[in-house]
Amino acid sequence: MNNFSINRFAKTLWWVICVYARTLLLWCVAAITLVVFIGEILFQEMNSYGDPWSAIHNFSQLAAGLFIIVSLIMISLFAFGINDKRKRATFLMLPSSNLEKFLSLVVFTTVIGIACLFLAIVLGDSLRMAWYWLSGYQGPRMECVEMDGVTYHWWSSAIPQLLKELAPEAITNPMELPMDWCIANGMLTFGLWLWLHSFYTLGGTLLRKYAFVATSICILLCLIILVKTMAFIGLGMFQISWEDGAVKEYEIGSMAYVLSVLLPIFAVFNYWASYRIFKGFQLITNKWMNYDIYKR
C-alpha cells in the first residue's frame, strides 16, 4: 500500500489518539496541577514579589521554559508508544500505508500533543488567577501596577506574556527593528525550530530508550562545535546596538545567512532519514535502537 489516502490517514490518526489519550491526559493533568498551578504559587511565595508585573513576567518565563522542554520531550517520544511488542504489532497491522502511519504519529506528537500542553498551561494559569481572585490576594506591597499602558493585578493572566516570550523578537518588536534584520532573524528562527523538530523526530524514531536525553546531548555538542567554529573563523550572527530607544547600528553576520539556508536542508534530511527508519520497523528490534544496522 504505497498511495496516500486522507481517509485512511484520518482513521489512523484517530486510532493513535484513542490509544494514547490516557497518557496525554496524564501529561496535561501533571502540567496543570503539579507544575503550573502549584509551581506559580510556590514561585510567588519563594520570591515574594512586590508588584504583580514582576510576578507575572516570571510566571510567563517559567511557563515558556516548561512549554519548550515538554514539547521537545513529546516530539522525541515519537515511537515510544509502539516500542511495546504488542502495540507495535497492532500498529504495523493497521490497514494504512507507511506514510500515513508516520504522519499520524508526527501530527499526534507535534500538533495535538503540543496543543494539549498549551491548553493545560492556560488552564493551570487560570486556576492560579481564580485562586488569587477568590482569596483576595493583594501581594506584600502593591495591589496593581501599570506597565506599557496595561494594568496588571495579581490575578491577571500570564498567557499574553507567555506568547511574547515564545515569539521571536522580529515579530514582537517589528516597528523598532530594521526590516532586513527582522526578515533574517525570522528566517533563522524558523529554520532553527524546524531543524530541532526534525532532529528530535529522528532521535525518537531511531532510539528506543532515552531518546530525549541522547538527542539533547547531540544538539548540545553541535552547538558547542558551531560556537567554537564561529569563534575560530571570526564569523558573527546578529549584532545590534540601541541609543535613546532607537537602533543606532546593526549587523547581520554571514553565518546567519548560511544557517538560514543549511538548517532547512538538514531538516529535510532528518525527516527523510526518520521516515526511512520508520519504514524498516520490525516487530522485534535491537534493545536500544529501532534500526538494526547489522541486518542492512
Side-chain angles (χ1 to χ4, degrees):
M1 191 180 297
N2 297 321
N3 59 330
F4 182 83
S5 170
I6 295 294
N7 185 42
R8 288 199 308 265
F9 165 71
K11 291 181 178 179
T12 305
L13 178 60
W14 179 248
W15 182 90
V16 173
I17 294 173
C18 292
V19 171
Y20 305 121
R22 182 179 178 183
T23 303
L24 184 60
L25 180 62
L26 291 176
W27 278 72
C28 293
V29 170
I32 293 172
T33 57
L34 299 180
V35 183
V36 181
F37 176 47
I38 298 177
E40 285 187 354
I41 294 180
L42 290 180
F43 211 48
Q44 161 62 18
E45 294 297 328
M46 291 169 58
N47 292 276
S48 299
Y49 294 107
D51 64 273
W53 184 87
S54 299
I56 291 172
H57 180 67
N58 281 271
F59 291 162
S60 65
Q61 292 180 328
L62 174 68
L66 165 71
F67 181 79
I68 293 174
I69 293 174
V70 178
S71 295
L72 294 177
I73 292 176
M74 284 185 173
I75 296 170
S76 67
L77 295 178
F78 175 84
F80 178 79
I82 57 175
N83 281 336
D84 178 77
K85 181 179 178 180
R86 179 178 58 84
K87 292 180 179 179
R88 175 171 293 205
T90 305
F91 182 75
L92 294 177
M93 291 176 63
L94 292 176
S96 56
S97 65
N98 288 324
L99 181 59
E100 291 159 1
K101 295 173 184 175
F102 179 80
L103 291 179
S104 66
L105 291 178
V106 171
V107 172
F108 177 77
T109 55
T110 304
V111 180
I112 298 177
I114 294 179
C116 290
L117 172 63
F118 183 78
L119 178 61
I121 293 177
V122 172
L123 293 176
D125 187 65
S126 299
L127 286 176
R128 190 264 309 168
M129 294 169 59
W131 176 264
Y132 279 170
W133 184 71
L134 293 174
S135 62
Y137 182 78
Q138 300 296 337
R141 293 191 300 271
M142 301 180 66
E143 297 183 4
C144 62
V145 64
E146 185 173 339
M147 185 68 62
D148 297 329
V150 180
T151 301
Y152 291 91
H153 302 271
W154 289 102
W155 42 264
S156 296
S157 174
I159 301 303
Q161 287 294 321
L162 167 63
L163 296 175
K164 189 174 181 180
E165 291 288 338
L166 295 175
E169 188 178 5
I171 296 177
T172 59
N173 195 23
M175 299 302 295
E176 299 181 7
L177 295 170
M179 181 59 65
D180 55 343
W181 194 95
C182 291
I183 294 175
N185 183 268
M187 291 177 59
L188 181 60
T189 302
F190 172 78
L192 176 62
W193 283 113
L194 183 66
W195 178 77
L196 283 175
H197 180 273
S198 67
F199 201 76
Y200 275 101
T201 300
L202 176 60
T205 310
L206 177 63
L207 303 175
R208 290 173 62 90
K209 295 183 178 181
Y210 310 114
F212 174 74
V213 176
T215 307
S216 298
I217 292 175
C218 290
I219 290 178
L220 181 60
L221 292 176
C222 292
L223 180 61
I224 293 175
I225 294 174
L226 176 63
V227 172
K228 293 291 185 180
T229 303
M230 290 174 57
F232 179 77
I233 301 178
L235 297 177
M237 294 280 282
F238 294 99
Q239 295 182 2
I240 189 168
S241 59
W242 300 78
E243 184 176 337
D244 298 328
V247 177
K248 181 180 179 181
E249 57 182 2
Y250 70 96
E251 180 183 359
I252 304 175
S254 55
M255 184 57 70
Y257 294 108
V258 172
L259 291 178
S260 297
V261 175
L262 290 182
L263 287 177
I265 296 176
F266 290 154
V268 171
F269 172 80
N270 291 338
Y271 289 129
W272 173 83
S274 180
Y275 179 61
R276 294 287 296 181
I277 295 171
F278 178 82
K279 287 202 306 181
F281 271 18
Q282 302 294 325
L283 189 59
I284 300 177
T285 57
N286 184 276
K287 179 180 179 181
W288 299 99
M289 300 174 63
N290 284 311
Y291 184 78
D292 194 343
I293 191 173
Y294 298 107
K295 293 182 180 180
R296 298 296 186 263

